[in-house]
Amino acid sequence: MADTNHTVVYFSEQVVVLCSCGLSFVGSTLIILTYIMWPDLRTTPRKLLVFLSVSDWLSAVSYAFGVWRVFHTDSLDCVVQGAVSTFANTSSFFWTVAIAVYLYVFIVRSNQRAADSLVLFFHLISWGVPLIITVAAVCLKKIGYDASEVSVGWCWVRIQAPDRVLWMLLTGKIWEFLAYLTLPVLYILIKRHIHIAHAALSEYRPILANRPAYQSFSSMADVKLTLIPIIFIILRIWSTVRFILLLAGSPVRQHPVLVTLHGIGNTSQGAANCIMFVLFTQPVRTRLCRSLCCCCSKCRANSAHRPLQGQDLSTQRDGDSSSRAQADR
């Protein structure tokens, strides 16, 4: 393969993307832990968010391994890493759309039973379809070294495969394009329904003392509904741009800035979800701060008691030694 068909991954790009993987790993873990720690926050949307975080967690780990190694051949660990990242990344697309569909049915259609009945269907699609595609790609030897042409060091679809464009579409890009179209439409419909409902109730809603707090909560929810599709598109668009440039045969796809943005975007979904649904969610943020404060206070209390306990033991030993001396006398 010619050198022109190989994108060089610089050390600075590795460091930046590895940091992004680390943040996404921590963010996904934090979402999962908060769901486990507080049972009263275990709503169905947050449960779906946990499943999305599992996919993002796998993506962060597999991408970090790929960026750290920067593969150059179709080795066994390259195929394994490419298979895991392909499955996790595709599953993340499905779970992201599944959350939007659930919220649309629950809020716009006002049918919680129908929304809850879709959860099993979400599992079958969001885990099953990526698994089938990944197994088929591995069995047909389509996963392997891709020369970082549409990646940043990690393995994906083999660049030497004659039908690589088809498999790039099947193992991610077609689902990415569908998410670009589906997410904005669903969240716009949800926002429109909420605004219409608020306008209809505003004439009859009494002026209460806690109305500013309600307005703050409503505005924060409105901001989240706006940011979810925007952040998804901003993070994922760079990989799409490089894919289109690859199809066009443009060398711009190898530009370091574009490669870095691609690496950050593909590995930051877990961190972005943590910021929106943990740090920017007041009940979760409040409990998390309380837990951290309690842990810090316990650590300080333990560190304060340890010297005292040491002094007590030394005092007790001195007393024992003096009593033995008196007995010998």
Side-chain angles (χ1 to χ4, degrees), residues 269-291:
Q269 191 66 48
N273 290 336
C274 178
I275 292 173
M276 283 192 295
F277 299 108
V278 174
L279 302 182
F280 283 0
T281 302
Q282 185 175 358
V284 182
R285 184 177 66 247
T286 302
R287 296 190 182 196
L288 189 63
C289 292
R290 288 177 180 174
S291 299

Side-chain angles (χ1 to χ4, degrees), residues 37 145 153:
M37 290 170 57
Y145 174 62

Side-chain angles (χ1 to χ4, degrees), residues 66-86:
V67 174
W68 174 67
R69 284 291 308 273
V70 185
F71 295 101
H72 298 286
T73 59
D74 287 323
S75 58
L76 177 60
D77 51 352
C78 169
V79 175
V80 172
Q81 182 274 317
V84 173
S85 62
T86 298

Side-chain angles (χ1 to χ4, degrees), residues 180-237:
Y180 288 154
L181 299 175
T182 305
L183 291 177
V185 171
L186 289 175
Y187 281 110
I188 287 173
L189 292 175
I190 294 172
K191 282 169 59 68
R192 180 175 176 272
H193 176 82
I194 292 175
H195 288 168
I196 292 175
H198 285 175
L201 292 173
S202 61
E203 183 178 354
Y204 305 100
R205 186 183 295 121
I207 300 176
L208 300 176
N210 60 348
R211 186 176 178 181
Y214 172 80
Q215 289 178 342
S216 176
F217 175 80
S218 178
S219 62
M220 178 58 70
D222 187 67
V223 169
K224 286 183 181 180
L225 291 176
T226 304
L227 289 179
I228 289 172
I230 292 177
I231 291 177
F232 178 85
I233 293 174
I234 290 176
L235 292 179
R236 295 291 182 172
I237 195 64

